[in-house]
Every structure is written in C-alpha cells, then in structure tokens.
Amino acid sequence: MKTLNLTVVRHGKTYFNRYNKLQGWGNSPLTDEGIANAHQAGERLADVPFKAAYSSDTTRAMDTANIILAANQTATDISLQTAWNFREEFYGSYEGSNMDVAWTNAGATVGLSTYAAIVDAYGVDKTKDLLKAADPWHDAEDATEYWQRVEAGFKLILDNPALQDGDDVLLISHGNTLISLADRYGQGKIQVHERPANGSIAKMQLSAEGISISMYNNQMI
C-alpha cells in the first residue's frame, strides 16, 4: 500500500482575509503580507524533495504554490497541478459576506452566534450543514457534498502513477479545509475553532486507509 508524505500549506493572506470576509470559491488577491507568507513557507520548504505539487484552482492558492516551488532547490522538474476538488468550502450566497454576520445567521437555529461556539458544541461538519440551511438559495456545501469533493481530490493524488511509496507531495490548501481535516483526522489533539495562520505548514501522511496528521499550524502534534 502506498503512503505519501503531504506537506499542506495554507495560502498567503488575501484582501478578503484582511476584511474578515468568507472566501470559498470566490477569490481575492494576495496582499503584500500574503506574498511574504508564501516566501516564508518557501524558505522553510526549500530542501523538501517534492515529487508533485497540487493546489486548488483559485489564484490565491496557485500564486502561493508557485512562490513556494520557485524557492525549492530540488523540485525543479515538476509542474503545479490544479483541481477544483481542493477548493475551499463553498459558502453559497454567503460568499464575500462578513464572517461574523454569516456565522451568526448560521447558528441562529441552535442558539449560537459564533463559528467557534458552533464548532465547540457540534463539530466542524455541523457548521457546513447549518450554513447550507441558512443560505436562502441553499447553494452552500453541506458536509456530505464537501467531503465527496475533497476526498475525490485525495484519491486523485494517490492514483498519480508517477508517485511512489514515501514520496513528498506539496498541497496548497485553505483555512477551513485545514480545520476540516484536523477535525476529521486529528484524533482530538488539534484545536479547530480558529483558522490556522496564512502560510502555515501541516504535515500529513496519505494512504488508501486515510490521513494521519503529525504537524499542524507549524506545531508538531
């Protein structure tokens, strides 16, 4: 059975991050700080012998990935592969909304007013279900829709015939996606009601049996 070493990096800070807006399938560019986030991650990962690199097809993820790959001393023969499977959670009509307002609306039916409170009471998947229910168009992804998409992306990586057991793979991801992975695969060891820092690094092992996490938000666990 093949096991791959995933280095998962949250994209650099964007303008919507600065403005506290929900940013799922929508997009905004990296700020100067966000570009610096990517360069800092690139410096930390310069010696990792990546055999493949993936990101979502959002510019914030692709720009972060390209900065990291440009700094890498060993991954000179690989090109970035993008897939919609690795996009952030889709927030439906709440895309671009103030995060505090959106989560207050989502939590109203359970008497909670913040994302952290919902997560602490019900877990991360419930936040997805509540936001879909609160979305007047019901276009936001619920947990089932989200995981079907993301898990298909991980299968895409595992099925890459060029990758062998033990290979290193770079994946540029998103804040809520990292939280979702930590909640599902972190064995209760990771605090999940706050987003990891932009440009932060996580280390995961990916196999057909699932995912194990050894580092999250720059911290060993």
Side-chain angles (χ1 to χ4, degrees):
M1 180 178 63
K2 179 166 65 177
T3 299
L4 300 173
N5 299 314
L6 285 183
T7 297
V8 188
V9 182
R10 186 185 178 196
H11 63 77
K13 189 171 187 177
T14 69
Y15 284 92
F16 271 20
N17 292 152
R18 177 189 289 178
Y19 305 149
N20 194 40
K21 292 179 178 292
L22 283 180
Q23 181 180 217
W25 289 12
N27 204 30
S28 67
L30 298 180
T31 62
D32 289 344
E33 182 182 353
I35 293 170
N37 295 150
H39 280 292
Q40 290 161 4
E43 290 171 5
R44 293 183 61 190
L45 300 172
D47 296 325
V48 179
F50 294 118
K51 301 300 183 183
Y54 292 83
S55 79
S56 73
D57 55 359
T58 59
T59 57
R60 63 189 185 274
M62 292 188 290
D63 289 347
T64 300
N66 286 324
I67 290 171
I68 292 172
L69 289 174
N72 193 275
Q73 304 299 311
T74 63
T76 56
D77 296 327
I78 66 173
S79 58
L80 179 65
Q81 301 182 59
T82 63
W84 79 288
N85 306 82
F86 301 119
R87 291 179 189 174
E88 180 63 291
E89 175 183 341
F90 182 47
Y91 298 114
S93 67
Y94 286 106
E95 290 276 338
S97 298
N98 178 276
M99 291 178 66
D100 296 332
V101 172
W103 293 118
T104 296
N105 290 347
T109 58
V110 292
L112 299 172
S113 60
T114 68
Y115 180 85
I118 298 169
V119 168
D120 288 345
Y122 296 104
V124 173
D125 280 356
K126 184 67 171 179
T127 67
K128 298 173 174 54
D129 296 341
L130 288 173
L131 195 71
K132 185 179 184 73
D135 178 4
W137 298 93
H138 303 301
D139 285 335
E141 286 182 306
D142 63 19
T144 298
E145 293 164 332
Y146 172 83
W147 284 114
Q148 284 176 344
R149 173 173 62 81
V150 173
E151 287 175 347
F154 285 121
K155 187 176 186 301
L156 185 73
I157 296 176
L158 274 174
D159 289 347
N160 183 341
L163 293 174
Q164 306 299 316
D165 184 53
D167 279 350
D168 288 287
V169 178
L170 176 67
L171 173 62
I172 308 304
S173 188
H174 299 266
N176 190 271
T177 293
L178 277 160
I179 290 172
S180 300
L181 291 168
D183 187 53
R184 175 164 285 206
Y185 298 109
Q187 300 179 336
K189 299 177 182 179
I190 304 173
Q191 182 274 106
V192 294
H193 65 232
E194 292 182 5
R195 279 169 169 72
N198 292 104
S200 66
I201 296 170
K203 296 283 189 179
M204 306 183 189
Q205 291 70 47
L206 171 66
S207 72
E209 292 185 344
I211 293 172
S212 62
I213 303 174
S214 57
M215 180 179 180
Y216 180 81
N217 199 21
N218 301 323
Q219 301 294 320
M220 301 300 296
I221 62 172

